[in-house]
Amino acid sequence: MDRYLLQQLSLAEHNPSLCWSKLIPDIRLKIFDILAQNCDDNGTGYVGEGSEARDSSKSGLAAYASVSKEWQSFFEKRLYSRLVVTQSCLEGFETHIHRQKALVKHIFLRIDLPNYNCELCGGSFRKTKAPQHTIIEFAIGTLFRILSTWKLRERALEGLGLEIGFHSPQIALHHFGGELHMGSNLFDKDTSEEQSLLHPTLDAVNGQHHQNDLSRARMARLAVLYRAFDRVFLRQFPSVKVVNRLVMRRQTRFYLRPLNLQHMMQSLPQLEYVNYECWREYCTFKVGEAWEYNYDDNWRMALDEINRLPNKLKTLTLFEEFNEDLSTAFCSAYQSQPDFDIGKEYVRTPPRGFSEAVATRSLSLERLFASYIIDARPFFHAVEPNWEWKRLTSLSLTSRLLMGSTDTDLSEINNMLVEAAEAALKMPKLQTMELWHGLKRAACVFRFRKEMLYATVEWRGTWSLKWNSRVIRKWEEVAVLRTGLSLHIKANRYIEPAHIKSHADAIEKLGVDKQVIHPVSLEQIHRESKRYVCA
């Protein structure tokens, strides 16, 4: 609190004639800010019956809002700007949010799921036959029905952000060690959250579930926790025109299949921003130990989804999450199985067709961030001579070529950088292009950036790459023809491998654009990677 504000408050305390109305507006606003900051989570609130008992910030802000009309106009904005709703309180949502619709900026739909049967726990959880797909479809459909009645004119010039996540007691217990974050704000890193790091609970990946058992049978049971919901949505969701941002974070291991995402996005015609984070799906197993790997088949269905994304879409963020301990465990379990190749793949090779489909869809985007879910090489291979990215300003892609393994063909990396430059020549508004990869102890990035006085290219990573003359000439051409500036080649920046303890560290140490992943997800990866056990 600054000195002038303290003086004003002191005068008011010792001089009864100096009432609230005598304080200048700037001082009153500062007091409001201080009171709001004292409320947990900066005003994220649950809506619905019994919710006040779960979230003290909502009741605290509501109390302040009831003081006067002036206080109401300030604190209601904080109170309703970010809401968390569950399927149990959706029926009362319209009653609670009527006059305040225009104040709502972000809705987090937290779909509460019943406990599933975990074979790895030895029956320590109650079995359930509850149809999870029915719960999910009902929750999304009900919220869409409510939001379909909201009018664009009620939103003024600002659209509505929608975030969808799944939650069950086992998700918190198995995967997040007390770090589950179901709000829509960033971590406050308060005392309670710091304490949660000191007392981690059971972790199916980094804890007791495979600490002493990396057998194929156990890996098969563990893989079940990293899968998509199988059932296809049957109902037709109503069109929702007020939502222009959609977020699905990596927080839950379960995720919606591409066909269901397509089904849902067809009802969101005004989408301008999509952040979709899913988990790497490992394997599904048939009876009798026969194996079937269906990931590529799953993402073939995503091709239609990519092509049917709303035309207004400006920013697309795709991130395929993974856990390096789990990948190591699968490799260990299957290294004695010569007929099983995909299970031994530490870093998954993205389906070529999906990479090409994303390249096609990116032609109308302003920003594209695709990490681990596609590969830069087939993305650039898909470029046609007549293509032009008229709006694209930022492009960030990962590539397995940049893993830095000893058998990497450096000439192939140089060829990819030339192909990237040829694509950049078709991007008249390009400001930044990043080609990167990050794993524990191995990370690198090639970055092109348009600066104020010149364009720059740089290499930063745990290993060095010498560019050939073709790479330099082609990027000089990009700088001159597309930016009108000369090219400045920055000195290589070396990063100690020991400083890269996870792909979250890679993102930060490489200076990769933070839009490649949701900031809450980045923080969670940092915290989870502290419990990595595999070397």
Side-chain angles (χ1 to χ4, degrees), residues 11-12 59 77 93 106 112 120 179 195 217 250 263 266-267 277 290 498 505:
L11 288 173
S59 57
K77 293 178 182 177
F93 185 70
H106 190 99
D112 290 334
L120 300 171
E179 298 156 28
Q195 287 297 317
R250 45 83 72 187
H263 189 96
Q266 285 177 345
S267 297
E277 302 166 4
D505 282 339

Side-chain angles (χ1 to χ4, degrees), residues 335-496:
Q335 65 184 133
S336 61
Q337 302 289 332
D339 61 329
F340 197 96
D341 295 326
I342 300 177
K344 293 186 282 189
E345 193 174 44
Y346 185 76
V347 178
R348 188 183 67 85
T349 301
R352 182 181 184 89
F354 188 62
S355 300
E356 294 170 346
V358 172
T360 303
R361 184 58 183 85
S362 68
L363 288 170
S364 62
L365 296 176
E366 293 181 7
R367 292 168 290 274
L368 172 62
F369 310 95
S371 308
Y372 304 105
I373 199 167
I374 70 169
D375 194 280
R377 193 72 190 277
F379 179 96
F380 293 127
H381 280 174
V383 176
E384 298 288 347
N386 62 339
W387 279 16
E388 184 179 26
W389 287 265
K390 295 180 180 181
R391 301 164 59 189
L392 195 69
T393 61
S394 299
L395 177 65
S396 179
L397 305 173
T398 52
S399 176
R400 294 182 84 254
L401 274 178
L402 302 177
M403 288 173 56
S405 59
T406 54
D407 59 349
T408 299
D409 188 342
L410 299 185
S411 65
E412 285 299 300
I413 297 178
N414 274 290
N415 289 340
M416 182 178 68
L417 297 183
V418 171
E419 292 166 357
E422 290 173 345
L425 288 170
K426 301 174 182 291
M427 304 172 184
K429 293 187 178 181
L430 185 67
Q431 299 289 319
T432 304
M433 180 189 289
E434 295 174 333
L435 306 177
W436 67 284
H437 203 277
L439 295 170
K440 191 190 309 181
R441 300 188 183 90
C444 65
V445 63
F446 168 85
R447 181 182 295 110
F448 166 83
R449 178 173 290 156
K450 181 181 178 182
E451 308 281 2
M452 185 70 70
L453 300 177
Y454 42 74
T456 63
V457 289
E458 68 168 321
W459 178 269
R460 185 183 303 187
T462 56
W463 55 283
S464 298
L465 173 68
K466 184 177 180 179
W467 301 331
N468 62 33
S469 58
R470 290 179 61 234
V471 172
I472 296 174
R473 285 199 305 269
K474 186 60 70 171
W475 281 101
E476 285 176 338
E477 185 180 350
V478 173
V480 173
L481 294 182
R482 282 311 186 189
T483 69
L485 303 172
S486 60
L487 183 68
H488 174 69
I489 301 175
K490 291 186 174 181
N492 288 0
R493 292 184 58 179
Y494 177 73
I495 300 174
E496 286 289 344

Side-chain angles (χ1 to χ4, degrees), residues 217-237:
R218 179 154 293 236
M219 288 300 99
R221 293 196 295 272
L222 183 57
V224 173
L225 303 180
Y226 292 76
R227 70 180 190 272
F229 291 105
D230 293 325
R231 301 295 184 91
V232 175
F233 291 157
L234 299 177
R235 71 174 67 188
Q236 182 64 44
F237 298 141

Side-chain angles (χ1 to χ4, degrees), residues 107-177:
I107 294 176
F108 188 108
L109 175 60
R110 194 192 84 171
I111 302 176
D112 290 334
L113 302 175
N115 281 336
Y116 50 85
N117 179 35
C118 177
E119 298 179 50
L120 300 171
C121 289
S124 61
F125 288 101
R126 175 179 57 85
K127 292 185 178 181
T128 178
K129 294 183 179 180
Q132 293 179 331
H133 64 280
T134 302
I135 295 173
I136 295 169
E137 188 172 0
F138 169 80
I140 295 175
T142 302
L143 181 61
F144 276 38
R145 176 181 56 80
I146 294 170
L147 296 180
S148 68
T149 65
W150 291 24
K151 306 301 181 184
L152 284 171
R153 63 176 178 271
E154 296 172 331
R155 307 296 312 157
L157 297 177
E158 185 176 10
L160 178 68
L162 173 62
E163 187 168 351
I164 299 175
F166 312 120
H167 173 265
S168 77
Q170 281 167 300
I171 290 174
L173 181 62
H174 282 64
H175 305 298
F176 286 94

Side-chain angles (χ1 to χ4, degrees), residues 273-387:
Y273 172 90
V274 171
N275 182 316
Y276 177 65
E277 302 166 4
C278 65
W279 276 84
R280 172 182 176 179
E281 192 173 9
Y282 286 85
C283 309
T284 56
F285 294 82
K286 296 178 179 178
V287 179
E289 288 274 283
W291 59 268
E292 174 193 5
Y293 187 76
N294 63 3
Y295 195 95
D296 286 4
D297 289 338
N298 179 25
W299 282 104
R300 286 190 186 98
M301 295 187 295
L303 300 182
D304 285 339
E305 172 209 339
I306 288 293
N307 292 328
R308 296 185 187 183
L309 284 171
N311 292 329
K312 292 190 175 183
L313 190 66
K314 297 178 180 179
T315 302
L316 177 60
T317 297
L318 302 171
F319 194 98
E320 182 177 274
E321 176 60 314
F322 57 93
N323 179 288
E324 294 197 53
D325 272 1
L326 184 58
S327 297
T328 301
F330 263 90
C331 290
S332 175
Y334 287 99
Q335 65 184 133
S336 61
Q337 302 289 332
D339 61 329
F340 197 96
D341 295 326
I342 300 177
K344 293 186 282 189
E345 193 174 44
Y346 185 76
V347 178
R348 188 183 67 85
T349 301
R352 182 181 184 89
F354 188 62
S355 300
E356 294 170 346
V358 172
T360 303
R361 184 58 183 85
S362 68
L363 288 170
S364 62
L365 296 176
E366 293 181 7
R367 292 168 290 274
L368 172 62
F369 310 95
S371 308
Y372 304 105
I373 199 167
I374 70 169
D375 194 280
R377 193 72 190 277
F379 179 96
F380 293 127
H381 280 174
V383 176
E384 298 288 347
N386 62 339
W387 279 16

